[in-house]
Amino acid sequence: ERKRLERAVWHYAQSSLAGTMRSRKIRQWLPEAARGCKFDLQELFDELNRTYFCGKLTSQVRWGQKGSRTSYQMFRKGTDGKTASFITIAGVYNRPDVPRFAVEGVLFHEMAHEASPPVLEGSRRSIHGRAFKSIEQSFPSFQQWREWERTFLVRRR
């Protein structure tokens, strides 16, 4: 299933979409992939985007595989030269006992990557540079999310 979804994302990123960020093929699986057991990532993304990013972010969102521990944001450039952003949230967050602020925290972190892409600092590529950290720490529940992560995610191995 993961491979099928990855192929669909890659196909989308490679296709020319005539200015739109969502093709029919992506729309068919994204709502499904964004709906979790408790939270719909698309709804949370839209709310966070409006509230903190003035609605400027365009990422597509989905849940990772059950039990996965890695969340990530990636950019893909299509053959038409347009760049699309995709966010995958770790499956360990897709559980009924995970609080909303924790899911929003990890989603906000990945959204901050789109808002503040990697920069060169000297000869080094910085993914979590000053601008990124400033955005990330502007999330009101940032400390609460990090504490929750340190306390509860270590138990889920």
Side-chain angles (χ1 to χ4, degrees):
E1 178 66 8
R2 181 174 180 230
K3 288 280 189 195
R4 186 185 70 73
L5 291 174
E6 292 291 342
R7 278 194 299 276
V9 168
W10 183 249
H11 174 73
Y12 166 74
Q14 293 298 313
S15 67
S16 174
L17 299 176
T20 181
M21 290 307 291
R22 291 185 182 188
S23 71
R24 266 185 241 152
K25 189 168 188 171
I26 292 300
R27 251 184 264 144
Q28 288 173 358
W29 71 263
L30 271 178
E32 206 173 280
R35 275 190 224 105
C37 66
K38 186 174 177 183
F39 299 108
D40 185 318
L41 289 177
Q42 189 62 55
E43 289 175 7
L44 295 177
F45 176 88
D46 292 341
E47 186 178 323
L48 292 170
N49 193 18
R50 272 190 312 277
T51 305
Y52 301 102
F53 299 97
C54 301
K56 293 180 181 175
L57 303 185
T58 60
S59 292
Q60 304 299 316
V61 293
R62 69 175 182 175
W63 287 104
Q65 287 183 325
K66 182 179 179 178
S68 65
R69 301 182 62 75
T70 304
S71 298
Y72 57 93
Q73 181 274 340
M74 64 181 173
F75 291 106
R76 291 288 183 248
K77 191 172 270 191
T79 54
D80 60 356
K82 293 181 182 166
T83 301
S85 174
F86 300 93
I87 293 175
T88 300
I89 300 301
V92 294
Y93 283 90
N94 190 11
R95 298 171 47 102
D97 59 332
V98 175
R100 180 181 175 117
F101 71 82
V103 176
E104 286 181 335
V106 70
L107 181 57
F108 191 90
H109 172 92
E110 299 307 332
M111 292 170 76
H113 280 295
E114 182 182 354
S116 178
V119 294
L120 280 177
E121 291 180 355
S123 61
R124 192 165 174 245
R125 185 172 175 253
S126 176
I127 295 171
H128 297 119
R130 287 186 195 111
F132 172 86
K133 287 180 182 177
S134 174
I135 292 169
E136 181 186 42
Q137 292 172 6
S138 72
F139 181 61
S141 300
F142 175 77
Q143 294 299 334
Q144 186 182 19
W145 162 56
R146 286 301 199 190
E147 183 59 34
W148 180 89
E149 220 178 29
R150 280 189 295 276
T151 305
F152 292 98
L153 283 190
V154 293
R155 294 182 192 166
R156 295 218 163 111
R157 290 186 183 253

